[in-house]
Amino acid sequence: MDIQERLAKNLRLLRQAKGWSQEVFADEAGLHRTYISDLERGSRNPTISVVDKLAIALGVTPGRLLD
């Protein structure tokens, strides 16, 4: 599994563990819902700043998203 696939899988698992829809997650992270969808499908490469926003919204470290 490459890093993009790991990020996609971890985003989906952590979002679902919080009981959030993609729309709620996007609002929490300050991003658009379709961008979250693209990330969870592994079709986007986020910048490190976006990874940080995602991690803050989920309450984890950026590294946790890439484990």
Side-chain angles (χ1 to χ4, degrees), residues 11-60:
L11 286 174
R12 180 174 287 121
L13 289 173
L14 291 166
R15 173 181 61 79
Q16 290 174 339
K18 286 193 167 283
W20 288 351
S21 65
Q22 288 180 343
E23 188 168 349
V24 169
F25 183 23
D27 287 344
E28 291 291 326
L31 301 167
H32 196 276
R33 186 204 54 81
T34 58
Y35 189 72
I36 297 295
S37 175
D38 289 346
L39 290 172
E40 288 188 358
R41 286 184 288 113
S43 63
R44 290 263 191 150
N45 290 314
T47 64
I48 194 69
S49 297
V50 169
V51 171
D52 190 52
K53 284 183 179 185
L54 296 165
I56 290 168
L58 291 167
V60 300

Side-chain angles (χ1 to χ4, degrees), residues 1-14 39-40 42 63-67:
M1 185 180 306
D2 71 13
I3 194 164
Q4 196 170 352
E5 291 169 326
R6 286 195 312 266
L7 176 65
K9 179 182 171 188
N10 288 332
L11 286 174
R12 180 174 287 121
L13 289 173
L14 291 166
L39 290 172
E40 288 188 358
R64 170 64 182 90
L65 298 178
L66 305 174
D67 285 342

